[in-house]
Amino acid sequence: MEAPHHQHPLPPPQAPSDGPSGGDGGLPGGPTDSPGPGTRHEVTVTVRTAEAMRELGVRLARLLRAGDLVLLTGELGAGKTTLTRGLGEGLGVRGAVTSPTFVIARVHPSLTDGPPLVHVDAYRLGGGLEEMEDLDLDVSLPESVVVVEWGEGKVEELTEERLHVVITRALGESSQEGADDSRTVTFVGVGERWAEEDLEALA
């Protein structure tokens, strides 16, 4: 189960700003922080069931390669871990993908010739990247796919090229992950790496 925490979704792509508050606007109910400067590419997908969320993760895995950083944003029960479970399935890694809340991070080695999956839950880490140094994410990233839940504002310094995934749902719906209600999943690719990727394949 994901740790309860209020976290805002990302702003929509506009002109980048050097100011601390971004200046990029925000998705409905979104934060003031921008994913960062550089080329950005955005695609939105509607997901109606937990199984569809898992399948979306499988499709996402086909686009990922070693060195990719994926930041997951969404409230409790939005489906972040379900998406990551499908991602792990698509990457062909070992071990069940579950919420790493109480161990901060789990490494799932590849059962094929693909990259390992490093699954991080940054909910309990209140500061920035310096609080995550013991996880050696900067060492793991070049050879792994690193997925960070609750990572906004904490791990962007790892790389200027990253994929932000924002999951939102209708207000008043059940908070249980896996509930049969619609989610909107917005993929925001930042940097040249994602400008060249066909995110429309996720739709």
Side-chain angles (χ1 to χ4, degrees):
M1 178 181 296
E2 299 175 69
H5 182 68
H6 179 68
Q7 183 161 333
H8 301 291
L10 293 168
Q14 295 182 11
S17 169
D18 294 331
S21 62
D24 287 353
L27 291 173
T32 57
D33 290 337
S34 163
T39 304
R40 299 174 60 177
H41 181 42
E42 179 176 331
V43 169
T44 298
V45 179
T46 298
V47 177
R48 304 195 183 281
T49 66
E51 178 60 19
M53 183 70 77
R54 185 195 63 78
E55 292 173 354
L56 180 60
V58 174
R59 295 201 301 277
L60 174 59
R62 297 173 189 150
L63 304 182
L64 297 176
R65 61 194 188 207
D68 284 340
L69 174 65
V70 181
L71 304 186
L72 300 183
T73 299
E75 295 182 350
L76 171 66
K80 298 187 298 297
T81 300
T82 299
L83 180 71
T84 308
R85 190 172 298 126
L87 198 158
E89 179 181 333
L91 289 175
V93 300
R94 185 176 68 203
V97 175
T98 59
S99 176
T101 298
F102 297 106
V103 295
I104 306 300
R106 286 194 178 96
V107 178
H108 298 271
S110 176
L111 294 173
T112 63
D113 292 328
L117 169 65
V118 179
H119 185 201
V120 181
D121 189 325
Y123 166 68
R124 297 179 184 276
L125 303 177
L129 185 61
E130 63 276 4
E131 287 196 32
M132 305 186 75
E133 288 182 350
D134 289 343
L135 299 179
D136 290 329
L137 293 183
D138 55 337
V139 175
S140 302
L141 182 58
E143 60 191 33
S144 308
V145 170
V146 177
V147 177
V148 184
E149 298 187 29
W150 312 112
E152 297 302 325
K154 299 176 182 178
V155 297
E156 287 89 344
E157 296 173 45
L158 284 172
T159 175
E160 293 183 354
E161 298 187 324
R162 54 193 181 271
L163 181 66
H164 294 252
V165 183
V166 182
I167 306 174
T168 58
R169 58 179 179 177
L171 296 177
E173 298 288 352
S174 169
S175 64
Q176 295 300 314
E177 184 169 328
D180 188 13
D181 58 308
S182 296
R183 265 73 163 167
T184 297
V185 184
T186 302
F187 298 89
V188 182
V190 178
E192 294 299 327
R193 153 77 176 101
W194 292 103
E196 300 170 356
E197 195 61 75
D198 182 19
L199 291 179
E200 278 79 8
L202 297 171

